[in-house]
Amino acid sequence: MALLPETARQVDLLVARAQAEGRGPSLALGVVRDGGLAHVALAGEQPRPDADLQYRIGSISKTMTAVLVMQQRDAGRLALDDPLDKHLPGTPVGALTLRQLLGHASGLQREPDGVWWERAAGADLATLLAGLTPAKIAHPPHHVYHYSNLAYGLLGGVLERITGTPWADLLRERLLEPLGMRRTTYHPTEPYARGYVVHPWHDTLREEPRTDTGAMAPAGQLWSTVEDLARWAAFLADPAPDLLAPATLTEMCAPVVISDLDAWTGGHGLGVELYRVGDRVYVGHGGSMPGYVAGLAVHRPTRTAVVDYANSYGLRAGHHVVGLARDVLTLVLDAEPAAPAPWRPAEAPPADLAELTGRWWWMGGEYEFRIDPTGDLVGGQVGRPLLRFTPEGPDRWRGRSGSQDGELLTVIRDEDGHPVALDIATFVFTRTPDQEP
């Protein structure tokens, strides 16, 4: 599980450089692999960090709020396309849907009315709702990506109305306690890092307030540690099915909106940010509150992740904590690629399945199919990405990947029972190119 010494040295160097050049009082980073911490890198002395020191995680809290919403969806207590008005009736923004709010595609303005909520004592839900006006919708839904903290305050209100349980208690009962995240708390719990703003001219520190954000807490209230956030990263890589169905988490990681239309390097799913780095896509979130910044980046296919914190409001000299998490994650994946699973011989498939394997043709293109050890039919155009079909009944298979995901494959047999064609969503594959209809 531990990183190789040279990889660990490079990670430590990146963290030390980010802390020094970015002028962070302290910086803590953890690399997660296969469900556990593989390496911890620490820098700075104000205070001296460790894996159990609390920092404020800011908007990473939103990923937990989103999972709570999806738990309620899976339990049948809400639908993602429910209008807000169904659960919080009477607001002038009630036509917006829960899906739009989760994905920052609602067009709702970023902040609630009043003073800056992150730095002031928070109000209750009734006050938050009373501050809503039709003017709070800055854009029509789905027209642009527009990040909204206010949206997550409202989603927290929806959770409270549906369950009858305050958001903080629901979070503790449904996620934190089952995952053993005992150092993730609503209020700071010693030992914790004080948060600062670094003066731009003489490098002195100004300590920032640690507020209770009230009804806006689901958007950014929480405190956590490297060890605890590593557990959350492991959950986002491979969720515990008794807490969230893996298919639901995959649904959350599909893009609702692209946040970077010029380069297509970023987007947002249902509560998670999406980052495209080269040929990889990471999921996660950034976080900031006065005096704190945090990052979370997860590569789900390899169950590898990075979490990091600093206790200053933004690092200087071009360093960014979320960017650092992505850089370290890329470094680790490049330096220590996952070994392929060993090949093992398989048992012979039943005769009726073995007959489906081999070469098939469609529109002059050559395709190849085989039965894999799980019993799925896999293949595709020779030399091209795989298609996968799972059995659904006699001579019926359902597509589970690629361009045929969700489509039906039907085996066509002759009068002697031999397969002569595969009908894949009306595209008929035959044994030779000359047999094509």
Side-chain angles (χ1 to χ4, degrees), residues 251-293:
E251 178 185 0
M252 294 176 68
C253 296
V256 174
V257 63
I258 298 298
S259 58
D260 177 11
L261 291 177
D262 292 330
W264 288 62
T265 58
H268 214 289
L270 296 170
V272 294
E273 293 177 339
L274 311 174
Y275 318 112
R276 183 168 64 83
V277 180
D279 292 332
R280 302 184 182 107
V281 175
Y282 304 152
V283 303
H285 216 288
S288 68
M289 290 292 280
Y292 302 92
V293 283

Side-chain angles (χ1 to χ4, degrees), residues 355-356 360-361 395 409-414 418-424 427-432 435-437:
E355 289 183 309
L356 304 182
W360 295 86
W361 295 81
D395 285 339
L409 182 156
T410 304
V411 180
I412 300 172
R413 297 182 182 270
D414 63 18
H418 300 302
V420 294
L422 304 177
D423 184 336
I424 306 178
F427 300 164
V428 178
F429 291 61
T430 55
R431 276 300 190 185
T432 75
Q435 295 173 320
E436 287 184 336

